[in-house]
Amino acid sequence: MTLSIDDVSVQPRIAEPGEGISLEELALAARNHAMPLEALRYDVTPPGLHYVLNHYDIPYVDGDTWRLEIHGCVETPISLDLETLQDLPRHTVRVTMECAGNGRAYLSPRPVSQPWLTGAVGTSDWTGVRLADLLEDAGVTPEAVDLAFSGADHGVERGVEDDYRRGLSLSDATVPDVLVAYEMNGHPLPPQHGYPVRLVVPGWYGMAHVKWLCDIEVLDAPFHGFQNAVSYRLRTDPDQPGTPVTRIEPRALLVPPGFPDFMSRTRVVQVGEQVLEGRAWSGWGEVTRVEVTDDGTTWWDAEVEPSSSPHGWQRFTARWSARPGEHRLRVRAHDSSGRSQPMTPVWSRGGFANNAEDPLRVIVRD
Ligand SMILES: Nc1nc2c(c(=O)[nH]1)N[C@H]1C(S)=C(S)[C@@H](COP(=O)(O)O)O[C@H]1N2
Ligand SMILES: [Mo]
C-alpha cells in the first residue's frame, strides 16, 4: 500500500462545543511561543521574548551559500549573496508584528489550529534593504501585478505540499518601509526569526513577513498560492471565497498588574491607587484613544503616548482606584482610521484577526 500526503495531512476543523485543547494543538503551542505580557513594558521586545510562529520546521540555512533571486517580470534578474545585500544602502524600521491568529483560542467554537491567547505580538528594530530599491535595480516591467515571496521552509498543509510562499501586490510591496531585513535589533536574525533574511511589511499581520526569504518572483497575474488564496482568508463558511487577511486590527493590552497565581494566572493587587500600563497598536493608523474598565460598564480614558516609530506600538498609562474584591480589567483601543476593538469576537473559520478585548481577572486585597 502506498501512502499519500492526504493520509497524513489534516483538514481544518472547528472544535466541538466543550472540546478541550488537543495534544496536537499543545505541540504547536509549545513550538510557537507567545510574548509574556509583562514584556509589554519594553518599547523594543528583548531577545527571545518576541513571539514566534513557524508553519513548518526552522530550516537550516547557510549564510555563506544563501542567495536571493529576483526574477520574472524584470529587465535584469538579480542574484544576491548576503555580503552584497549588506553593502547596499541600509534602513532601520521599528515594527510591531502580530500573528493574524492572535486571540484564536478565545473563539467559540474554536478553530483547531495554533491556540493563541493574546501574546502573539512583539516589536523589533529591523534593518535591511528597501525592497523598492532592489526592484528598481531589477527594473520591474509594466505587466507586473503581484510579487511572490518564497521561504526556504517546506511542508504540507491541508494536503497541499509547498514552500512557505506569500504574494503581495506591487503597490503594497513598493512602499518605502517594506524591507528585505538581515538584522533584528542590531544583530543577525536568529534562526527562528528568518536567518539570514526575511521580508518585513510594516502594518501587516505576521503571515506577510516571509522568513528565510530566498526567492522573489515578479508576476504578470495575481498570485494564487495556498497562503493567499486558501489560508489567511476571513470566511465563516468553508465554501465562501472569503476576504484576504491584510493589516493589523487595533488592540490594546495591559502589562498584567500585581503578581500572578501560578496555575490560574489570576492577578493579586494591593488595594488603593494604581497606575496601569500597557501598549496599543494598529496597522491602519495611529492609536488615538485607549479606554479602561474594571466592571464592563464604566470606562475611563488612558493617557496614550506617541509611538517611537510610525509602525510601532504606543505606550499608555491609566489610573485605577483598586477597591477590594474581584475585578475584570479590560482595555480597548481606537485608531485614526475609525476602527475600534469590538466587545465580542468577530468569528471566522481560520480564527483570524480576533481583536476583541480579553478581560484580566484581578483580586484586590486589603
Ligand atoms: N518562511 C516562513 N515565513 C513566515 C512563516 C513561516 O511559517 N514560514 N510564518 C509567518 C507567520 S504566520 C508569522 S505570524 C510570522 C511570525 O514571525 P516571527 O516568528 O518572527 O514572530 O512569520 C511569518 N513568516
Ligand atoms: Mo501568523
Side-chain angles (χ1 to χ4, degrees), residues 220-260:
D220 63 3
F223 176 74
H224 284 306
F226 177 85
Q227 301 297 350
N228 287 69
V230 181
S231 189
Y232 294 109
R233 295 190 84 88
L234 297 167
R235 52 166 88 84
T236 51
D237 191 290
D239 301 327
Q240 291 168 344
T243 55
V245 176
T246 59
R247 289 180 174 275
I248 300 174
E249 296 295 321
R251 191 194 293 275
L253 286 177
L254 286 170
V255 171
F259 61 84

Side-chain angles (χ1 to χ4, degrees), residues 121-192:
V121 66
T123 298
S124 297
D125 286 334
W126 301 100
T127 299
V129 177
R130 287 187 166 139
L131 177 64
D133 290 352
L134 292 174
L135 293 175
E136 201 179 303
D137 290 348
V140 172
T141 56
E143 54 292 0
V145 178
D146 274 6
L147 277 72
F149 300 87
S150 302
D153 50 334
H154 187 89
V156 53
E157 211 165 322
R158 306 187 202 175
V160 180
E161 184 185 332
D162 204 355
D163 299 333
Y164 185 88
R165 270 194 324 144
R166 277 281 305 182
L168 202 59
S169 75
L170 184 64
S171 54
D172 287 327
T174 46
V175 297
D177 284 344
V178 173
L179 293 185
V180 171
Y182 49 80
E183 278 178 19
M184 181 184 194
N185 306 332
H187 299 282
L189 303 186
Q192 69 274 27

